[in-house]
Amino acid sequence: MTRDRCVDFLRAWAIVSVVAGHWLITALEHGSDGGITAPELLADVPWTRWLTLLFQIMPLFFLAGGHAAGGSWDRARADGGTATGWVGRRAVRLLLPTAAYSAPVLLAVAVSAAVGVAPDTLALVGWAMAMQFWFLPVYLLVSALTPVLYAAHGRWGLAVPAALGALAVAVGTLALAADLPRVGLLNYLLVWAVAYQLGFCWRDGLLEGRRPPALALGGGAAFAALVALGPFPVSLILVTGEPVSNTDPPSVAMLAWVLTQCGLCLLAGPGLRRLLAHDRVQRLAGPVGGVSMTLYLWHMLPVLVVAAALYLTGLAPEPALGSPAWWALRVPWLLLLAVLMAAVTAVVRPVEAALVSRYERARPDVGRYRPWLLWPGLAVSAVALSRFAAHGFAEHGRFPALPTLGLAAGTALVLLHRRRTARPTKRQSWAALEEAA
């Protein structure tokens, strides 16, 4: 079993866990006015906040992502590749599926606003369809910084995540103590970059011996102390009414959880590799990794379908939120969403693959780059994606013209950073795509 197989599994598992967690805590009710309301399970049933310790495993995605990116960038440099080419390749692989998702959603928002859909309803739906977007600008920026981060790793090793962590603690403390929320936004990059940088260290064998248990125990003890002594909550996702959030932006407690989870993952690594050595297990896990981006982007669409079909019509049973009957209904709820998600994936995945294939044939990755288009395109795309993440696809029930323009312009600049050249065969373009992955 190669380590890459373990890394691929961790990335897929992280995405599936996030999707399952979102589905599990999503609650819908048929309102007295005929519309749909979405009560907040974590706010109304406080004990459920502990469940986020199981489902908030994005630290593993960044850990595995750093491991994979370190190897990919190392190979690219050995082959004479440039930062522009490598970063651009990864940006295209993120932005093309995002565009394939955002375009129909924004079209639906525009049509709904034009025909007079209630602004509150449109804002709720627009928020639901963009709730997962926080990850996209963060990962886009971390990926763009990989050449710099990896160079620092090569020179200073474990001192780099230690320094990033110390800076994240300082930023988080200052943001809370001085009530400077904008300063705290830096931790979106710093905290998740710690996990990403640990992925480099994992790949290069710097996290062996006593270091994984030290990470797990030290991080776990710090998290417990920060939650017990305050002011941090136990919930690892945003909960309405809590004065402090661990994720918006990532807090010092979230940093402690990142260290805990990374340490536990490294401790479980040998057993996981033995498990994944079995072909049957790999045949089950492998396909999920191939569609993980599709699952992540589209996983709230099945919720809206069920909402329209069963809750808007009043057909769905509605036991009290958090009651035993409500939890019992989570089983058919999750199964129904999984079936619908499989259908969505079957439709969407070929479209995404076709977009990538057409792009690779029109602008193959042969070293003819325009860096003055790529880097501004990344910046504009990150800002637009951040806006959608913060306010949804229909802020105040209106079509988001400026963020839409920004995402379109940023994506176009990134796509145009490759020059046109003689078209390769379809087989060559797919081979290049597989090599990039």
Side-chain angles (χ1 to χ4, degrees), residues 7 10-11 58-68 192 194-200 202 207 261-263 265-266:
V7 169
L10 287 175
R11 289 192 291 186
M58 289 307 285
L60 295 188
F61 189 96
F62 283 92
L63 175 72
H67 185 295
W192 296 116
V194 169
Y196 194 78
Q197 200 79 25
L198 287 174
F200 297 159
W202 177 26
L207 295 175
Q261 208 168 84
C262 290
C265 173
L266 294 170

Side-chain angles (χ1 to χ4, degrees), residues 35-92:
I36 296 176
T37 59
E40 190 175 347
L41 177 67
L42 300 184
D44 295 342
V45 186
W47 72 264
T48 59
R49 299 170 193 177
W50 290 91
L51 294 177
T52 62
L53 301 182
L54 298 176
F55 290 100
Q56 175 55 281
I57 61 171
M58 289 307 285
L60 295 188
F61 189 96
F62 283 92
L63 175 72
H67 185 295
S72 175
W73 172 234
D74 213 20
R75 291 190 297 272
R77 286 191 309 161
D79 293 338
T82 65
T84 297
W86 187 87
V87 171
R89 184 160 55 250
R90 297 179 76 85
V92 166

Side-chain angles (χ1 to χ4, degrees), residues 60 71 88 94 199 219 244 270 316 372 387 402 430 437:
L60 295 188
L94 187 147
V244 177
W372 59 90
R387 182 72 182 184
L402 190 58
W430 275 109

Side-chain angles (χ1 to χ4, degrees), residues 120-147:
D120 289 347
T121 299
L122 193 56
L124 176 62
V125 172
W127 170 82
M129 295 299 283
M131 62 183 295
Q132 71 277 34
F133 264 42
W134 72 267
F135 163 82
L136 300 175
V138 175
Y139 204 75
L140 190 66
L141 291 176
V142 171
S143 294
L145 291 172
T146 294

Side-chain angles (χ1 to χ4, degrees), residues 352-377:
E352 294 175 343
L355 284 175
V356 174
S357 180
R358 289 175 68 90
Y359 176 76
E360 290 293 332
R361 290 200 300 272
R363 297 177 180 272
D365 190 10
V366 292
R368 296 168 57 85
Y369 307 122
R370 299 184 179 101
W372 59 90
L373 293 181
L374 173 65
W375 303 106

